[in-house]
Each structure stands twice: as structure tokens, then as C-alpha cells.
Amino acid sequence: MKNRNKTGIVVALIYCFVLYAILIDAPPGEAPVNPPWAPAMIPLGAVIITSLFDYVIKFDFFEKKKK
């Protein structure tokens, strides 16, 4: 496995938990009403975030450069 960007993974995990909480939010006693494509946004968003941090941004907060 290649050297993955740890900041992108952490941000993607936070995104997944927050979006899941938003998707299951509903008034008490009622089922959440979401479009059928809404659950697919969790993995798609995580893949996009990790690839952005791996290939475009390339900033890793957790990996310090050794001098």
C-alpha cells in the first residue's frame, strides 16, 4: 500500500459521520425522507476527499517532514 495522506482519511471519516447524522435526522416518530441517491453520497464523498488530499492538496497535518 502506498503512503496515504492521513489528513484526507481523517477528514473523510468526519465527513461520513456528519453526513450519516444528517441523513438519519428526522422528527421523533417519523422515518427520514431522503432521495434514493442520498446514501450513495457517503462513499462517493469519502473517495473524492481522500483523492483530493492525495493528489491535489498534498498537505498532511499528521505526517511531519524529517530534516
Side-chain angles (χ1 to χ4, degrees):
M1 189 170 120
K2 69 176 192 148
N3 193 8
R4 299 296 305 256
N5 193 322
K6 293 172 187 66
T7 304
I9 294 171
V10 170
V11 171
L13 283 173
I14 293 170
Y15 166 81
C16 290
F17 287 123
V18 169
L19 188 59
Y20 178 74
I22 290 171
L23 287 177
I24 66 167
D25 188 35
E30 294 184 22
V33 179
N34 297 318
W37 51 266
M41 295 305 294
I42 295 174
L44 289 176
V47 167
I48 291 171
I49 289 170
T50 54
S51 57
L52 274 175
F53 272 92
D54 281 343
Y55 301 112
V56 178
I57 298 173
K58 296 182 182 176
F59 173 75
D60 197 351
F61 184 73
F62 298 105
E63 187 75 28
K64 300 295 181 189
K65 300 286 183 187
K66 296 179 182 175
K67 291 185 178 182

